[in-house]
Amino acid sequence: MLGEGMLKGLAETAKNFAGSFVSKERLTTVQYPEERIAPIENTRDFPFLVYDGDDAMAGLRCVACQICEKECPPKCIYIVKSTDKKPDFVGKMQIYPARFDIDISVCMSCQICVEVCPFEAIKMDTEFELSTTDRFGGLLYDREQLSRSNEHYHKIHPTEAAEVDARLAEEKAKAEAKAKAAAEAAAAKAAAAPAPKEAPAKEPGA
Amino acid sequence: MATALKSYRPPVIEPSEEGDELLEVAMGPHHPSTHGVFRMDVALDGERVIRLKPVFGYLHRNHEKIAETASYLAAMPYTDRLDYFCSLTNNWAYALAVEKLAGIEVPERAEYIRVITAELTRVQNHASAIGFLLQEMGASGTPLMYAFREREKILDLFEELTGSRMMCNYMRFGGCRVELPKGWLERVRTLVDGLPKFLDETEALLTGNEILMARTQGVGVLKPDLAVNAGVTGPMLRAAGVNYDIRKVDHYGIYDRFKFRVPLGDHGDIYDRYMIRVLEARESIEILKQALKDVPAGPIMDPKSKIRGFRPKAGEAYGRIEAPKGELGFYLISDGTGNPYRYRVRPPSLINLTVLEDMCLGQNVADVVLIFGSVDIVLGEVDR
Amino acid sequence: MKTAEEIVAAIKLALPDAKVEAVLNPSPSAQHSLRVVPGDAVAVAGFLREDPQLGLDYCSNATGVDWPDKEITEKVKTTKVVDGVETVVEETVKRVEPGYLEAVYHLFSMKHGPTDPAGPVVLRMRTINRSDQVELPSLTPVWRSAEFQEREIFDLFGIVFTGHPDLRRILMWDGFEDHPMRRDYVDPDDYEYEPTAHDEVLKRAAEQKAHAGVEA
């Protein structure tokens, strides 16, 4: 029959049209921005700097090694190392970034900076509604604007943050164990040290 | 050489009346049907196309030069943006070329993940290509939106895996970047189980449709020997009847383990290209079903490969894969430093456009848009 | 018949006057190439396409490579007269090895399909120098797939292909000068782009702002 193919096609569209009133599968449109789809956990948008504790500048994990700056494909990170050292979250003296700018109008969210950071200091955020009316400086984020707490990291990427925390705790435990072993060895050496001093004193006499 | 080589130049069409002025139209670059910023300078005699010259370069970002100043790793996110519909296959092609250059082995689990993501990419690309073709025919978005419904599900899976829907940046030299999230394979299996129903729906809507058949059968015919000589690859080549699928020819990855057929067309017209895409999507689902059955446990990266400071030995390599649009190849020359000395992308869309002229000459101008849509190009790849 | 040496032997058999040599590729990919003199290129290409055993009917990739002039410092032993006695002295001599542009073609056979190992036959041609003698014969009459790719090589590198049916710029606009993919290309500082505000660019932006302030 002439037109059979078209009728079959019309039956398909009618099924979809009627079905969109009854099944969620057929009506996939979401009325953004009133309705939003639940964000997927692993999504990545722009980087942020993680800090531990409450004070952003004191707890920054970043030690300004500049590896992310070198590996960034569009070179959107700009770091200036500090000239002094300050104690980090665990109390160790570290250099810190005096300036850490990311131009998010250039950043292409490739996540290479996260991949190469040896200190778990930079991670990907999930905010994408970042439009601003300031054309030149509004999309250049500095250190303060980029810092987010570890709690924020746990909120947006719970699985990843748990893994990172586990890894950092393991490293810390290993470092402490090493320090303890070194301290014990030094103490043992100090305890053994007085004995040799006496022996040579005896010899010339004997 | 005594005998002259057979030449494959485009035919010369004479206008119907002598001395008649030809109407010169510039179709594009601002055109809803040109898949991006693309221009065709056509000279028309009434409705018939007498001359057609494609003009592009509007999206030229000189990706090849950027990769010369960036390191090998830093060039990977830029490959996402070549054929922006199929970023995971672009990543795989580049990773394959670098692995050939440096002699890196890829663990089995990573190969399985690569095949699964590549075939998912192929399904969504072919569905979208059919949708765009129908849109240009005037179907005003219905098949396209049906395709996009499935595509959104696939892109959600990619976002779970890689972090981004389209710019995935997932493959690395020696494997994949990150381990599969929990339950991801289960979700892929659910999706793949639902895909045949979607393809059945699309075929019920389109394949028997008289309007589609009348507009596409016999239009834009490409002969096989011209296709081979012009370097056409992908569904366009197979629709012309030439059996050349790089997955079967080069045996790259682990495609040898999967049983799948290569559909071939008889006529080389637009209808054949549409059917080949549907059939290839069905074959991709077969590969997916087989691959999802036995994904082995194990590492996803070669333990010896380096992320930073990657310096392959001096030399060169050409690596290619069967991307959804055709043969995507990367030619790399290394001089021993951390940046490639020469980085070349062999874009399937650009080479497939060589025969646009031959297919369109003598046809009506209304068919030019259809023929162009059936070539299925992406400007990000043509211009790089 | 797939190793570079075998193909060179086959070419020499069919075209005894052709000057072809195999170029070894040191990387693990082992994709060795054939270097052809521009004068013989079309004949060799035609043979490669039509030979029933090779059947290289598919030119997959055609690209250009820029090899700039290299300055080489060498220690050369020369005989010089020093204090009236002829002695052999070692001198450091600087010389410039002239650069050239190269066109590389990757060929496969669709007729014969799979090869073992899977790899292309690579054909290379060099120009004489980078400045005024940059002609090479076009292989478009042999493989039509080279048509757009040779236009791109002309556009981005500057190699002029003689015998090409329509040699004009393809990616850059028609009035553009210079060839962007060359190693010594300097891009003009006349962009209208948004500068990322640090370093050099910040200094220039401040200067321009001050200049604009003065004018206003």
Side-chain angles (χ1 to χ4, degrees):
Chain A
M1 179 184 78
L2 181 66
E4 188 179 339
M6 286 193 279
L7 284 178
K8 230 167 91 174
L10 283 174
E12 269 313 314
T13 36
K15 239 195 305 187
N16 267 289
F17 176 63
S20 69
F21 289 100
V22 291
S23 101
K24 208 72 174 88
E25 254 258 327
R26 297 241 184 249
L27 181 68
T28 49
T29 317
V30 169
Q31 299 289 354
Y32 183 85
E34 285 86 25
E35 269 178 62
R36 279 154 208 265
I37 331 178
I40 295 180
E41 190 193 324
N42 282 342
T43 189
R44 59 178 143 98
D45 282 296
F46 294 109
F48 71 93
L49 293 169
V50 188
Y51 65 83
D52 298 304
D54 292 319
D55 184 354
M57 291 303 112
L60 264 190
R61 287 187 198 163
C62 174
V63 296
C65 63
Q66 292 180 308
I67 291 178
C68 59
E69 190 181 4
K70 276 198 276 276
E71 297 293 324
C72 173
K75 302 279 184 293
C76 67
I77 303 182
Y78 177 59
I79 299 177
V80 173
K81 280 179 144 121
S82 65
T83 41
D84 61 325
K85 287 195 181 179
K86 70 160 174 58
D88 70 353
F89 187 57
V90 289
K92 197 163 137 200
M93 298 299 277
Q94 297 271 20
I95 48 172
Y96 59 95
R99 236 186 119 158
F100 194 112
D101 294 342
I102 296 185
D103 188 347
I104 63 167
S105 64
V106 174
C107 171
M108 53 176 180
S109 315
C110 65
Q111 208 192 29
I112 287 183
C113 55
V114 173
E115 228 175 299
V116 297
C117 176
F119 299 96
E120 320 279 359
I122 188 168
K123 297 290 170 194
M124 293 310 271
D125 206 345
T126 55
E127 266 296 309
F128 54 88
E129 290 158 332
L130 297 167
S131 54
T132 163
T133 48
D134 179 4
R135 192 174 175 208
F136 286 96
L139 292 174
L140 179 66
Y141 283 7
D142 60 7
R143 205 179 45 165
E144 279 74 20
Q145 284 170 296
L146 284 172
S147 316
R148 302 263 187 283
S149 68
N150 202 9
E151 279 79 42
H152 174 84
Y153 185 34
H154 273 276
K155 203 159 53 146
I156 55 176
H157 296 298
T159 340
E160 217 182 287
E163 280 174 22
V164 166
D165 277 357
R167 235 177 313 161
L168 284 177
E170 196 187 307
E171 268 179 38
K172 199 163 145 195
K174 256 197 281 194
E176 281 180 354
K178 218 164 92 171
K180 212 164 88 166
E184 280 176 3
K189 222 160 114 182
K197 275 212 198 101
E198 288 178 356
K202 273 198 199 147
E203 279 176 16
Chain B
M1 302 281 302
T3 48
L5 269 179
K6 173 155 190 233
S7 138
Y8 292 94
R9 300 306 311 155
V12 178
I13 311 276
E14 297 298 323
S16 52
E17 283 177 32
E18 276 305 320
D20 217 9
E21 245 187 48
L22 297 174
L23 176 67
E24 304 213 352
V25 182
M27 297 179 71
H30 288 273
H31 192 135
S33 298
T34 53
H35 289 231
V37 272
F38 178 81
R39 187 171 106 214
M40 291 182 273
D41 286 335
V42 290
L44 298 172
D45 166 39
E47 285 265 341
R48 271 195 332 148
V49 175
I50 303 297
R51 247 193 353 254
L52 183 142
K53 293 275 175 218
V55 180
F56 37 83
Y58 295 92
L59 194 52
H60 181 62
R61 301 158 285 185
N62 216 344
H63 168 216
E64 304 185 349
K65 193 152 191 109
I66 294 177
E68 280 178 18
T69 46
S71 62
Y72 283 91
L73 176 65
M76 184 64 93
Y78 288 105
T79 62
D80 285 335
R81 287 147 170 92
L82 281 172
D83 173 1
Y84 35 79
F85 269 89
C86 317
S87 68
L88 282 161
T89 43
N90 297 354
N91 286 351
W92 187 0
Y94 178 48
L96 191 82
V98 174
E99 283 152 16
K100 273 212 174 117
L101 178 68
I104 306 177
E105 301 255 324
V106 182
E108 231 184 278
R109 186 175 166 87
E111 292 279 20
Y112 270 88
I113 299 176
R114 283 180 174 186
V115 167
I116 293 171
T117 47
E119 293 309 312
L120 280 174
T121 310
R122 199 181 309 272
V123 168
Q124 61 95 15
N125 176 74
H126 285 330
S128 314
I130 295 169
F132 284 121
L133 176 67
L134 264 296
Q135 175 146 23
E136 277 147 30
M137 228 177 276
S140 189
T142 305
L144 181 63
M145 286 303 134
Y146 288 1
F148 269 31
R149 264 201 313 227
E150 296 309 307
R151 181 166 180 253
E152 285 299 314
K153 293 187 199 145
I154 297 180
L155 292 185
D156 279 343
L157 285 172
F158 286 168
E159 190 171 6
E160 268 180 50
L161 177 65
T162 71
S164 171
R165 288 164 74 237
M166 276 167 66
M167 304 296 141
C168 296
N169 185 21
Y170 182 61
M171 309 295 172
R172 291 281 178 268
F173 315 129
C176 304
R177 179 169 64 84
V178 85
E179 185 51 71
L180 301 178
K182 235 172 25 183
W184 191 79
L185 281 177
E186 273 314 305
R187 288 190 279 275
V188 176
R189 279 188 198 108
T190 324
L191 173 75
V192 170
D193 289 338
L195 279 178
K197 187 160 144 288
F198 153 69
L199 283 173
D200 288 338
E201 203 180 69
T202 310
E203 282 212 83
L205 183 62
L206 295 174
T207 303
N209 193 309
E210 284 80 2
I211 303 177
L212 175 74
M213 290 200 286
R215 279 208 76 179
T216 58
Q217 284 179 344
V219 176
V221 175
L222 180 65
K223 294 266 180 276
D225 48 349
L226 172 61
V228 171
N229 192 266
V232 173
T233 49
M236 232 170 99
L237 177 73
R238 292 190 281 280
V242 179
N243 184 359
Y244 196 75
D245 183 329
I246 300 174
R247 294 173 288 178
K248 296 261 189 209
V249 169
D250 269 2
H251 314 286
Y252 66 93
I254 44 168
Y255 276 109
D256 283 346
R257 300 190 195 176
F258 306 119
K259 247 169 61 89
F260 64 100
R261 298 173 294 177
V262 177
L264 294 177
D266 293 321
H267 308 276
D269 54 13
I270 303 180
Y271 191 74
D272 273 0
R273 286 175 218 143
Y274 153 75
M275 276 313 296
I276 295 284
R277 293 205 164 93
V278 174
L279 293 171
E280 274 193 11
R282 289 199 193 273
E283 292 302 317
S284 288
I285 298 175
E286 291 303 310
I287 301 178
L288 277 169
K289 284 204 198 123
Q290 293 169 52
L292 284 167
K293 259 201 301 241
D294 38 20
V295 179
I300 53 161
M301 270 287 271
D302 179 19
K304 289 195 298 277
S305 65
K306 296 210 284 189
I307 296 282
R308 291 184 57 220
F310 177 68
R311 278 193 186 82
K313 256 174 53 169
E316 59 178 49
Y318 180 70
R320 60 183 190 159
I321 64 158
E322 179 73 26
K325 307 249 178 347
E327 170 185 325
L328 175 62
F330 279 81
Y331 173 53
L332 295 162
I333 302 185
S334 154
D335 54 354
T337 66
N339 304 351
Y341 182 82
R342 173 83 177 100
Y343 169 101
R344 151 83 179 168
V345 181
R346 186 256 187 223
S349 304
L350 174 71
I351 316 292
N352 289 356
L353 278 181
T354 314
V355 288
L356 184 66
E357 210 181 327
D358 303 61
M359 291 192 290
C360 290
L361 290 179
Q363 308 274 352
N364 289 340
V365 69
D367 294 330
V368 166
V369 171
L370 279 186
I371 298 172
F372 175 67
S374 72
V375 176
D376 186 22
I377 69 162
V378 167
L379 262 300
E381 209 170 44
V382 169
D383 292 341
R384 283 153 285 135
Chain C
M1 179 201 290
K2 258 301 165 170
T3 64
E5 285 81 19
E6 286 170 354
I7 302 182
V8 171
I11 298 175
K12 287 256 166 67
L13 212 62
L15 306 160
D17 299 325
K19 289 186 264 302
V20 181
E21 62 177 20
V23 178
L24 246 41
N25 176 6
S27 86
S29 72
Q31 287 168 357
H32 309 294
S33 28
L34 310 171
R35 192 180 139 201
V36 146
V37 169
D40 304 324
V42 181
V44 170
F47 165 73
L48 289 174
R49 186 183 110 180
E50 298 297 325
D51 180 49
Q53 275 193 305
L54 288 174
L56 296 167
D57 48 2
Y58 166 47
C59 172
S60 157
N61 176 34
T63 184
V65 192
D66 183 17
W67 300 100
D69 301 337
K70 260 197 297 212
E71 208 184 68
I72 302 184
T73 348
E74 293 179 323
K75 287 191 155 59
V76 174
K77 288 188 162 61
T78 51
T79 358
K80 272 170 102 167
V81 179
V82 175
D83 296 328
V85 182
E86 267 197 18
T87 42
V88 175
V89 165
E90 228 183 54
E91 282 188 330
T92 40
V93 166
K94 276 206 187 135
R95 65 182 175 89
V96 173
E97 206 169 273
Y100 51 89
L101 298 163
E102 198 175 26
V104 183
Y105 296 80
H106 288 83
L107 310 167
F108 290 90
S109 172
M110 282 202 186
K111 202 158 51 178
H112 297 298
T115 55
D116 179 31
V121 172
V122 187
L123 207 63
R124 319 178 90 93
M125 293 196 270
R126 292 186 193 175
T127 61
I128 303 178
N129 62 29
R130 289 170 81 236
S131 41
D132 53 342
Q133 290 166 299
V134 290
E135 284 92 23
L136 283 180
S138 164
L139 295 186
T140 307
V142 183
W143 294 294
R144 176 112 183 257
S145 58
E147 185 178 344
F148 282 5
Q149 301 189 77
E150 283 177 356
R151 272 179 70 185
E152 181 183 334
I153 303 175
F154 164 65
D155 184 3
L156 299 180
F157 284 94
I159 302 180
V160 174
F161 287 96
T162 49
H164 192 279
D166 181 18
L167 194 68
R168 53 195 167 96
R169 286 189 180 269
I170 191 171
L171 290 176
M172 307 304 291
W173 60 93
D174 283 329
F176 191 81
E177 296 189 3
D178 208 353
H179 302 283
M181 278 297 286
R182 291 205 177 177
R183 304 291 286 191
D184 53 0
Y185 176 72
V186 176
D187 41 354
D189 188 22
D190 58 357
Y191 290 135
E192 290 177 29
Y193 65 95
E194 293 289 326
T196 31
H198 54 253
D199 276 340
E200 192 56 55
V201 177
L202 196 63
K203 226 185 331 169
R204 247 188 321 186
E207 284 170 15
Q208 282 178 2
K209 214 154 118 180
H211 190 66
V214 165
E215 274 187 1

